[in-house]
Amino acid sequence: MNIKNEWKYHIVLGAILVTMDFIENFVISKKQELLTNHVLILFLLSMYCTSTIVYFTNFKIVCPKFLKRNNVFQFVIAVLGLFILFSGVRFFLDEVILYQITGLHNYQDESRTLYYYIFDNSYYAIKPVLYSTLVYLTIKFIEVKDFNKAELDLLKSQISPHFLFNTLNAFYVELIDDKPSTAKDIHKLSELLRYVIYDSKNDVVSLNKEIIFLKDYVHFYNKRFENELSIDFSIDGEIQNQQIPSLILIHFVENLFKHGVVNDKNDPAMICIHINESDIVMKTKNKSLTSEKYMESGIGTDNVKRRLTTLFDSNYKLEYKTDESYFYSYLKMPL
């Protein structure tokens, strides 16, 4: 659970207990003299301080160590230790620090024996131990409930793509004999979606898969334009086992299709990828649509810049340029 939410439980419980103590002392028992007796107030604050120490010792150390592992017997032994801790802390605050300040003892002479002191304070220690244990178990119950919901949501998110791929595969099998071209496109679409849903979740992917993804992406746009697409798509260099950040290159191709003229035979758009031993260079050029204005800012562009900076610090080069009615992009990043 988020630490901010966790502290809400402690604050609310503390406020409730202090309010109840106030009502018991000043409303029900009518101990109005406590308000004017500074010594009694100091001893009362000492009790609150001791309870707080034992409360968080149990919540932060004892419960996680023993209850999380279902070691009930060891937890009971640890609680007995918390009773002794309560007695020791309160004795130090009352009989050492406050005694030096006030010159008064909180217990009478005959009551300050070791046995009675531990026995009496064990009674007061029950509350912080009990409350902290209940809060811990409540928070853990909520965490388990949230985890189970997240796990169920994850399973649901996995079932939906699985159903989609099965459906596409059924179409592929049904069309492979009569319409092989359509079946091939369905297979390409299935692989494209599989890449986006599964492979691209990784920070880096193989360059070969990313290139195949780009080619399939362009292929479907070619279908959309009824084979009138006019793009010079060139790849220069050797593709081996290089790794690149996932879904970086597609940003530039998407922008080209979204904002550029891609069906002018006399002025084709350009996508050029050059692969070196240690880096990759990608260039795009296209005539801009008259209704579109390229901008170097935007959510997609900002995300690409942040990812590249996170991965490579300043060891990359990203440029955008507008020249009359043309738009250019340039990316160079390490492999």
Side-chain angles (χ1 to χ4, degrees):
M1 173 172 288
N2 188 291
I3 187 65
K4 294 180 180 179
N5 294 332
E6 180 181 296
W7 278 102
K8 288 180 183 178
Y9 285 87
H10 303 313
I11 293 173
V12 170
L13 178 62
I16 292 174
L17 294 178
V18 171
T19 301
M20 290 175 60
D21 198 34
F22 180 87
I23 293 174
E24 180 183 355
N25 286 321
F26 303 117
V27 178
I28 299 176
S29 301
K30 297 182 179 180
K31 297 179 181 179
Q32 305 301 333
E33 69 276 6
L34 284 176
L35 294 173
T36 57
N37 192 322
H38 296 157
V39 174
L40 291 178
I41 291 176
L42 287 176
F43 282 119
L44 184 62
L45 291 176
S46 170
M47 173 68 78
Y48 287 155
C49 183
T50 304
S51 297
T52 300
I53 292 173
V54 171
Y55 176 97
F56 283 106
T57 300
N58 184 47
F59 182 85
K60 291 292 186 180
I61 299 176
V62 175
C63 287
K65 187 173 183 179
F66 299 114
L67 286 186
K68 192 174 182 179
R69 302 174 183 176
N70 294 323
N71 294 329
V72 179
F73 176 76
Q74 293 180 344
F75 174 73
V76 172
I77 300 300
V79 167
L80 295 178
L82 290 174
F83 290 166
I84 297 175
L85 174 65
F86 188 99
S87 303
V89 172
R90 193 179 181 205
F91 181 86
F92 176 74
L93 293 177
D94 287 0
E95 305 301 333
V96 178
I97 295 180
L98 290 184
Y99 180 73
Q100 294 294 324
I101 297 174
T102 65
L104 299 174
H105 292 289
N106 191 24
Y107 282 76
Q108 300 295 330
D109 292 342
E110 61 275 11
S111 302
R112 286 199 304 276
T113 61
L114 179 64
Y115 170 78
Y116 181 81
Y117 198 87
I118 293 178
F119 175 79
D120 187 57
N121 279 278
S122 295
Y123 168 77
Y124 294 110
I126 292 175
K127 286 185 177 180
V129 172
L130 177 62
Y131 292 146
S132 57
T133 302
L134 290 176
V135 171
Y136 176 83
L137 293 175
T138 300
I139 290 176
K140 290 304 170 186
F141 174 78
I142 295 174
E143 286 180 344
V144 170
K145 189 175 180 181
D146 290 343
F147 175 79
N148 290 338
K149 183 179 182 301
E151 191 174 35
L152 180 60
D153 291 341
L154 177 61
L155 290 173
K156 287 180 179 178
S157 69
Q158 291 174 341
I159 290 172
S160 296
H162 183 69
F163 173 77
L164 173 62
F165 291 132
N166 282 345
T167 303
L168 290 174
N169 186 61
F171 289 152
Y172 173 81
V173 172
E174 185 175 337
L175 295 171
I176 188 63
D177 293 328
D178 297 332
K179 297 182 179 180
S181 178
T182 303
K184 184 178 180 181
D185 285 342
I186 290 175
H187 177 71
K188 282 182 177 290
L189 177 61
S190 178
E191 291 302 308
L192 187 148
L193 292 174
R194 192 183 304 276
Y195 180 81
V196 172
I197 294 173
Y198 295 122
D199 295 345
S200 64
K201 288 183 179 180
N202 301 320
D203 291 332
V204 295
V205 295
S206 71
L207 176 59
N208 184 50
K209 286 187 176 182
E210 188 83 357
I211 295 296
I212 293 174
F213 172 65
L214 295 180
K215 289 181 177 179
D216 288 345
Y217 188 89
V218 173
H219 170 79
F220 282 108
Y221 261 95
N222 191 38
K223 288 288 185 179
R224 173 186 169 185
F225 282 86
E226 298 180 348
N227 297 319
E228 292 295 322
L229 195 67
S230 184
I231 293 181
D232 288 336
F233 188 0
S234 63
I235 300 174
D236 179 29
E238 189 175 354
I239 301 175
Q240 296 179 334
N241 298 318
Q242 303 99 321
Q243 301 283 310
I244 64 169
S246 60
L247 299 182
I248 287 287
L249 303 184
I250 190 62
H251 162 74
F252 303 94
V253 179
E254 280 182 326
N255 276 349
L256 185 145
F257 282 112
K258 183 177 180 181
H259 302 287
V261 177
V262 294
N263 59 347
D264 188 345
K265 298 291 184 180
N266 298 319
D267 198 355
M270 180 205 57
I271 302 172
C272 178
I273 297 176
H274 183 72
I275 304 161
N276 301 308
E277 289 186 4
S278 59
D279 56 53
I280 181 172
V281 175
M282 182 173 187
K283 302 177 185 178
T284 66
K285 172 192 172 185
N286 61 270
K287 185 193 297 184
S288 301
L289 293 171
T290 56
S291 61
E292 296 283 352
K293 288 186 178 180
Y294 270 97
M295 298 182 65
E296 293 186 16
S297 60
I299 295 175
T301 301
D302 289 341
N303 285 340
V304 168
K305 288 180 179 179
R306 281 197 295 268
R307 284 190 65 197
L308 290 171
T309 301
T310 300
L311 292 169
F312 305 120
D313 195 12
S314 60
N315 189 27
Y316 73 93
K317 188 174 182 180
L318 177 61
E319 293 179 347
Y320 299 93
K321 185 175 67 173
T322 301
D323 180 11
E324 296 180 354
S325 58
Y326 291 90
F327 181 81
Y328 306 83
S329 69
Y330 176 91
L331 171 66
K332 181 179 180 180
M333 65 179 175
L335 286 170

